[in-house]
Amino acid sequence: MLKQVYQFDEGNADMKNLLGGKGANLAEMTRLGLPVPPGFTITTEACMSFLNTTKELSDELKKEIDEHLSLLEKKTNKSFEGDNDLLLVSVRSGAKFSMPGMMDTILNLGLNDETVEQLASLTEDEAFAYDCYRRLLQMFGNVVFGIDMQYFENYLTFYKQKHGVKLDSELTGENLKQIVTEFKRIILEIKKKPFPQSAKEQLHLAIEAVFHSWNNERAHIYRELNHIPDDIGTAVNIQLMVFGNSGDTSGTGVAFTRNPATGENKLFGEYLINAQGEDVVAGIRTPEPIEKLKNDLPEVYEEFARLAHLLEQHYRDMQDIEFTVEKGKLYILQTRNGKRTAQASVKIAVDLVEEGLIQEEDALLTLNPDMISHLLHPEFSKVALEEAVKVSDVGLPASPGSAVGKVCFDAATAKEWAAQGEKVILMRQETSPEDIEGMVASEAIVTSRGGMTSHAAVVARGMGTCCVAGCSELEIDDFLKRVVYLGGQLNEGDVISVDGSNGVIYLGELEVEVTGTSHYFDTIMAWAKKHARLDVRMNAETVNDIKTGLYFGADGIGLIRTEHMFFGAERLIQMRRFILSNSYIEREKALKVILDYQMEDFKEIFSTLNELPGVIRLLDPPLHEFMPTKEEDIIHLAQEMNVSKNEIERRLKELHEVNPMLGHRGCRLGMTYPELYIMQSEAIIRSAIAMKRETGLDVTPEIMIPLVGTTKELSELKEKIELYLDALMEEEDINVFYRIGTMIELPRACLIADQLATTADFFSFGTNDLTQMTFGFSRDDAAKYINEYVSKGVLPVDPFQTIDKDGVGELIKTAVEKGRSTTPNIKIGVCGELGGDPTSIEFFDDINLDYVSCSPYRIPIAYIAAAQSTIRRASNNE
């Protein structure tokens, strides 16, 4: 029979696929002899079996759970039922990949109306016992019965206000008995069934609820955001309860072995005396910094610091550790590789190498490539800050960056406004996992409660989103949709500026400026470039973009879009003259003027590139895109061209196409108007000749013919261009080496790539059009339904953002194999949107492309993704 349950002492850190990250690490820490409360883990396989079948615990699984529960009772000399010391457990989720707060947890499971009295008698602390019971009722009601947590929180707040109690820890036993009674009434009234008194029934229902939480909306959104598969499931960890809420020598906390915001090599964290773990991560109470534990419980602090160092050394990475202290005894409840900001990621990675703990390759694998773009976080300009009006400066700098947006108070509004193009700031007393969609949509997150390890802080850092937490002076009222601060009031829709690096909020919109890079960033980029097999080029045609790409170490340009060069006022006039001309002679006149403009552009590009390669795509869009559409513009053009308005309207009708993306564009223009492509090619080579003569630069242009679907299109156009350019160079008595290749963006081109490769000097995949043509999706309109397809599982990903391996990817792989079967050394790259996507880059590396090309600011992401792919491939081949 398949084993579905493991005691902690049966597993190890290498069993994450089966035991989840939390379960595997609990097993590993148990193996290392750390003070881990005993327990057992139900596997991820059991979860997926549960979700894919009856969605009920099978009799076999219940039997196995009961057997392991008996083992736990023997180990602890405690029991759910009977005269022994009372056994209470926590029930926690734990997937292979960390998903903080996205799934569900239940504490103090096993309490009922009888055992709560037993616990009170054993501990001689009625308030403690009933505090544990009310927490169980609250969590169980929410997680298992689906009752909104606000029903419980609102009553608790009302009760404390009515009785003049500020903190939960100040409630008496009698107070808590009344709260327990009300919580049970809430469950009965809403769920129409009482809270179960059987501990085993509680356990089975709780396990089912945690399994179900794998498919809750917030977990699904988080997985989509972090590219985590939907089919791996979550393990469930059943663990002996230890009580941080059992007095002033008890407490609970979360700590990192290094600062997750800055990367500083210093213990960083927070704790609460006389509290349970949910109080810290939920932000219900604002905790104390971990350093203060030195004064409160010095022996505990020293022991924790020792164990934290041991865990970092063992796992060779910064650790995020949950701990509880029960009456002066320290327990470690969880460790995992800590989520961190981009700034912290690169500093920690470099520091760990310099400390000799890991190698360069290991350091690169710790990085999330997508987060690297956040290293260039904007900051508010110094001039703007001098005149800025502060709303608050008492918040905690939970996640760095600077953001401006409109205030909103709930996740639904944030998501709605963001979808309409608004920049929003989500302001909450504290966030909960249900807020995940709003958090994803927001430029920044602000809370009035919670600390540096609260839900808002951890999730924001993981997303790279600016966050200020614990702004205690702000009265955030999400019902009235307002914020009261010392100097006034903010209402929904008001604009604020948030500084997550310093924990400050400002009134109105402040000007931002982009920061520079750091020694750590430069070191990481040097390592990435050293270890990546793939080259990384940029998609760029303006000098500023090219300089940006070169600053980030681009290996050249993978796509220069020449159509962008035609839209200046004077150039556009000449392009329109070319389009509207009725004779070859008139078209030639227009092209001669355009030739001079094109030469200016290419000389500037070549000068900036300084002999690095550059792929120049000949004109691609349909001609109608250069023509006016408004009547006043048509009249103005008629006057400029000295032709009638009717003549221009007639020509516009001729150019009109029902589906221009499948129409007269790309190489089809070159076939119809070969003089257009010859003019562009002449401009390229004349510019290269000029650079060689004037500066000594030896430029090697790569001329790309777009939208080729037949071998004849490519061979005929290439022959015409080569004949013209060879004659030109003979006339100029100078030779420039150039290449002519093609952009593969049609499925047919992929299937005849072996034929095309006999003519083309290189291939470059245009993944945007190839994806469009393969799926039959309009890339301009697909956004209307793609997200719904992804959310419903019709598609695993948006294929315009991440490679569709089974369809588009298979076509690319086929084209590469076919192309290299006839021309083994043909250079092949990719220059579409997918060239900057880490998942797609790994695929392109696997099929042995030579380079990827992306927008300049995605070059660091692409380098790291390419390096990681190379390192993983080498490791898999060992």
Side-chain angles (χ1 to χ4, degrees):
M1 186 176 73
L2 179 68
K3 185 174 174 63
Q4 300 181 86
V5 186
Y6 289 77
Q7 290 284 318
F8 290 167
D9 57 14
E10 293 181 286
N12 60 59
D14 296 328
M15 298 174 68
K16 286 187 178 181
N17 287 346
L18 191 64
L19 303 180
K22 186 176 295 182
N25 287 333
L26 285 167
E28 184 74 2
M29 289 191 294
T30 299
R31 189 179 67 82
L32 292 172
L34 271 64
V36 175
F40 56 89
T41 301
I42 304 169
T43 66
T44 56
E45 291 177 350
C47 172
M48 292 312 299
S49 175
F50 170 90
L51 293 174
N52 292 331
T53 54
T54 60
K55 294 183 173 59
E56 292 181 352
L57 298 183
S58 66
D59 290 340
E60 293 83 359
L61 180 55
K62 284 182 181 179
K63 180 181 178 183
E64 198 172 351
I65 291 168
D66 289 347
E67 289 171 355
H68 282 268
L69 183 62
S70 296
L71 284 173
L72 181 59
E73 288 177 331
K74 288 177 183 176
K75 283 181 181 178
T76 61
N77 200 29
K78 299 173 183 279
S79 66
F80 264 175
E81 298 161 355
D83 297 329
N84 291 350
D85 197 358
L86 183 63
L87 174 66
L88 299 179
V89 298
S90 63
V91 181
R92 297 175 184 265
S93 62
K96 175 183 177 181
F97 301 105
S98 175
M99 297 171 58
M102 295 303 111
M103 291 175 291
D104 293 322
T105 293
I106 297 175
L107 304 180
N108 309 321
L109 190 139
L111 282 174
N112 58 32
D113 292 348
E114 291 183 11
T115 54
V116 68
E117 290 293 341
Q118 186 181 347
L119 181 62
S121 176
L122 287 167
T123 60
E124 298 181 349
D125 191 340
E126 188 177 60
F128 161 71
Y130 276 90
D131 181 53
C132 292
Y133 197 17
R134 70 93 185 167
R135 290 170 185 270
L136 170 62
L137 290 166
Q138 190 167 348
M139 291 183 185
F140 198 94
N142 175 246
V143 172
V144 178
F145 290 153
I147 300 169
D148 192 321
M149 190 68 85
Q150 287 303 312
Y151 283 102
F152 302 104
E153 284 294 333
N154 290 343
Y155 179 77
L156 186 61
T157 301
F158 161 77
Y159 188 92
K160 288 192 295 186
Q161 289 174 346
K162 180 180 177 181
H163 292 81
V165 174
K166 185 177 181 181
L167 301 176
D168 294 355
S169 58
E170 295 172 354
L171 292 165
T172 66
E174 193 57 41
N175 294 150
L176 287 158
K177 282 183 178 180
Q178 294 174 35
I179 292 168
V180 162
T181 299
E182 179 61 19
F183 280 11
K184 287 193 294 183
R185 187 199 63 78
I186 289 171
I187 291 172
L188 182 61
E189 183 176 306
I190 294 175
K191 192 61 182 175
K192 308 303 181 191
K193 63 171 67 173
F195 173 73
Q197 295 295 300
S198 164
K200 282 193 177 179
E201 183 183 356
Q202 290 176 20
L203 180 61
H204 292 160
L205 288 171
I207 293 167
E208 290 183 346
V210 173
F211 279 163
H212 279 299
S213 73
W214 175 252
N215 282 332
N216 68 37
E217 186 177 8
R218 64 181 186 267
H220 180 75
I221 293 166
Y222 187 90
R223 290 199 297 274
E224 186 178 324
L225 181 68
N226 291 278
H227 309 295
I228 297 172
D230 284 328
D231 61 356
I232 59 174
T234 180
V236 179
N237 298 288
I238 315 299
Q239 188 173 25
L240 174 72
M241 278 297 305
V242 287
F243 299 99
N245 60 329
S246 54
D248 291 339
T249 59
S250 302
T252 187
V254 177
F256 298 81
T257 54
R258 300 178 190 233
N259 188 310
T262 67
E264 181 185 6
N265 188 2
K266 180 182 177 183
L267 200 60
F268 176 94
E270 298 169 324
Y271 75 101
L272 284 167
I273 289 292
N274 197 18
Q276 286 195 328
E278 291 302 299
D279 297 338
V280 177
V281 296
I284 295 168
R285 288 166 55 188
T286 301
E288 300 286 352
I290 193 74
E291 290 82 2
K292 193 170 180 294
L293 192 61
K294 284 182 184 178
N295 300 323
D296 290 345
L297 300 168
E299 291 181 3
V300 169
Y301 178 84
E302 291 303 322
E303 174 69 358
F304 179 77
R306 183 184 70 81
L307 294 179
H309 178 71
L310 184 153
L311 286 170
E312 181 175 276
Q313 293 289 306
H314 181 74
Y315 284 99
R316 302 191 308 148
D317 199 356
M318 183 261 275
Q319 293 298 292
D320 171 1
I321 305 167
E322 291 181 20
F323 66 94
T324 286
V325 183
E326 182 182 81
K327 296 181 179 177
K329 180 170 174 52
L330 174 68
Y331 294 92
I332 305 297
L333 304 183
Q334 175 174 302
T335 193
R336 59 190 174 193
N337 293 341
K339 294 194 177 296
R340 62 208 77 172
T341 64
Q343 289 93 328
S345 293
V346 296
K347 176 171 169 40
I348 291 169
V350 173
D351 284 349
L352 290 174
V353 172
E354 291 179 350
E355 292 164 21
L357 200 58
I358 59 175
Q359 301 299 313
E360 290 174 12
E361 294 90 335
D362 304 314
L364 287 166
L365 291 176
T366 67
L367 302 173
N368 176 352
D370 280 322
M371 282 187 66
I372 295 303
S373 61
H374 296 294
L375 283 172
L376 305 176
H377 270 306
E379 290 183 352
F380 295 126
S381 73
K382 291 181 173 59
V383 175
L385 288 174
E386 288 174 2
E387 302 175 356
V389 177
K390 288 182 183 178
V391 172
S392 170
D393 60 3
V394 303
L396 300 170
S399 186
S402 299
V404 177
K406 293 183 176 180
V407 172
C408 66
F409 295 94
D410 62 89
T413 302
K415 181 183 177 185
E416 180 185 346
W417 287 6
Q420 295 168 1
E422 298 281 2
K423 293 184 182 299
V424 298
I425 309 291
L426 182 64
M427 298 190 78
R428 304 280 283 160
Q429 290 184 28
E430 70 263 353
T431 62
S432 70
E434 282 73 20
D435 293 319
I436 184 66
E437 284 192 289
M439 297 172 77
V440 169
S442 298
E443 303 295 312
I445 300 155
V446 176
T447 67
S448 58
R449 300 178 186 168
M452 295 289 281
T453 56
S454 64
H455 175 266
V458 171
V459 174
R461 282 196 295 270
M463 296 190 301
T465 299
C466 172
C467 178
V468 176
C471 295
S472 55
E473 66 183 6
L474 300 183
E475 294 180 21
I476 299 177
D477 191 323
D478 55 8
F479 178 75
L480 296 176
K481 297 188 181 300
R482 70 182 185 191
V483 179
V484 178
Y485 63 99
L486 294 177
Q489 179 175 303
L490 296 171
N491 299 306
E492 188 170 61
D494 288 346
V495 175
I496 61 171
S497 299
V498 180
D499 180 355
S501 302
N502 298 296
V504 185
I505 302 162
Y506 299 95
L507 199 60
E509 180 176 353
L510 300 188
E511 182 184 353
V512 295
E513 54 192 17
V514 175
T515 61
T517 57
S518 66
H519 154 70
Y520 300 103
F521 173 84
D522 293 340
T523 301
I524 287 293
M525 293 313 302
W527 291 347
K529 196 163 185 178
K530 171 183 171 183
H531 290 285
R533 184 195 64 81
L534 282 168
D535 282 347
V536 178
R537 297 190 185 185
M538 64 182 121
N539 300 336
E541 47 277 335
T542 69
V543 170
N544 284 341
D545 281 351
I546 295 170
K547 286 180 177 177
T548 299
L550 293 176
Y551 176 74
F552 290 131
D555 295 305
I557 299 181
L559 177 62
I560 297 169
R561 305 172 184 87
T562 55
E563 57 268 16
H564 290 185
M565 301 171 178
F566 290 92
F567 285 102
E570 290 299 319
R571 300 169 182 225
L572 192 56
I573 290 172
Q574 297 303 323
M575 192 63 191
R576 287 169 173 173
R577 286 186 189 279
F578 169 80
I579 294 168
L580 293 168
S581 297
N582 291 317
S583 70
Y584 177 82
I585 294 173
E586 289 300 314
R587 288 200 298 273
E588 279 289 293
K589 286 181 182 178
L591 288 178
K592 281 183 180 178
V593 179
I594 296 172
L595 173 69
D596 292 335
Y597 289 131
Q598 289 266 271
M599 284 183 61
E600 289 176 18
D601 294 327
F602 293 133
K603 284 173 69 176
E604 196 171 36
I605 289 170
F606 293 152
S607 175
T608 310
L609 271 179
N610 194 25
E611 297 190 354
L612 285 173
V615 175
I616 303 165
R617 183 177 70 187
L618 301 180
L619 197 68
D620 184 43
L623 294 179
H624 81 273
E625 289 193 9
F626 297 98
M627 299 301 289
T629 55
K630 295 179 180 177
E631 185 171 3
E632 60 265 32
D633 294 332
I634 293 172
I635 293 170
H636 180 66
L637 178 60
Q639 292 169 347
E640 283 186 336
M641 301 271 311
N642 197 26
V643 297
S644 70
K645 175 172 172 281
N646 289 340
E647 175 64 19
I648 291 179
E649 288 176 336
R650 181 191 64 77
R651 185 67 176 125
L652 287 174
K653 282 183 180 179
E654 289 177 359
L655 291 171
H656 173 74
E657 294 178 288
V658 175
N659 193 340
M661 292 307 291
L662 296 178
H664 194 192
R665 54 169 287 224
C667 68
R668 298 158 197 170
L669 283 175
M671 295 293 289
T672 310
Y673 302 109
E675 64 269 26
L676 180 59
Y677 274 13
I678 286 172
M679 177 277 295
Q680 288 192 288
S681 301
E682 179 181 355
I684 292 166
I685 297 305
R686 284 195 181 277
S687 301
I689 290 170
M691 295 308 300
K692 198 167 188 177
R693 284 175 172 162
E694 295 168 13
T695 67
L697 287 178
D698 198 2
V699 177
T700 305
E702 298 178 338
I703 300 170
M704 183 161 69
I705 299 171
L707 210 71
V708 164
T710 71
T711 53
K712 192 67 175 173
E713 287 171 325
L714 178 61
S715 61
E716 190 170 309
L717 285 170
K718 186 183 181 193
E719 182 180 359
K720 286 180 179 178
I721 293 169
E722 284 179 334
L723 283 171
Y724 189 88
L725 295 183
D726 291 348
L728 169 65
M729 288 188 289
E730 185 176 349
E731 179 185 323
E732 292 289 333
D733 194 25
I734 192 169
N735 192 52
V736 171
F737 183 75
Y738 65 91
R739 296 184 179 92
I740 297 178
T742 186
M743 193 170 191
I744 295 189
E745 44 202 324
L746 299 177
R748 190 177 194 277
C750 294
L751 299 175
I752 62 165
D754 50 342
Q755 301 170 39
L756 294 174
T758 61
T759 301
D761 296 325
F762 65 87
F763 288 165
S764 180
F765 290 98
T767 56
N768 299 339
D769 266 346
L770 184 57
T771 300
Q772 175 174 246
M773 301 292 188
T774 303
F775 274 96
F777 290 160
S778 165
R779 59 196 262 196
D780 298 316
D781 301 314
K784 296 173 183 175
Y785 51 84
I786 284 287
N787 289 341
E788 188 172 349
Y789 268 40
V790 172
S791 67
K792 289 182 176 179
V794 177
L795 290 172
V797 293
D798 178 347
F800 290 102
Q801 302 298 318
T802 297
I803 186 74
D804 160 48
K805 293 181 183 178
D806 294 339
V808 178
E810 196 62 29
L811 282 170
I812 293 174
K813 184 179 178 183
T814 298
V816 171
E817 291 170 352
K818 279 179 166 285
R820 289 191 170 139
S821 70
T822 54
T823 309
N825 295 321
I826 187 169
K827 180 167 280 191
I828 305 177
V830 62
C831 60
E833 188 70 27
L834 305 186
D837 171 64
T839 301
S840 305
I841 288 170
E842 184 164 13
F843 174 80
F844 298 140
D845 190 32
D846 285 343
I847 63 172
N848 290 312
L849 296 194
D850 295 298
Y851 68 86
V852 295
S853 188
C854 56
S855 62
Y857 278 97
R858 291 195 70 82
I859 287 170
I861 296 171
Y863 269 128
I864 291 171
Q868 289 177 337
S869 177
T870 302
I871 293 164
R872 281 192 286 262
R873 287 178 75 185
S875 176
N876 292 338
N877 291 333
E878 286 178 357

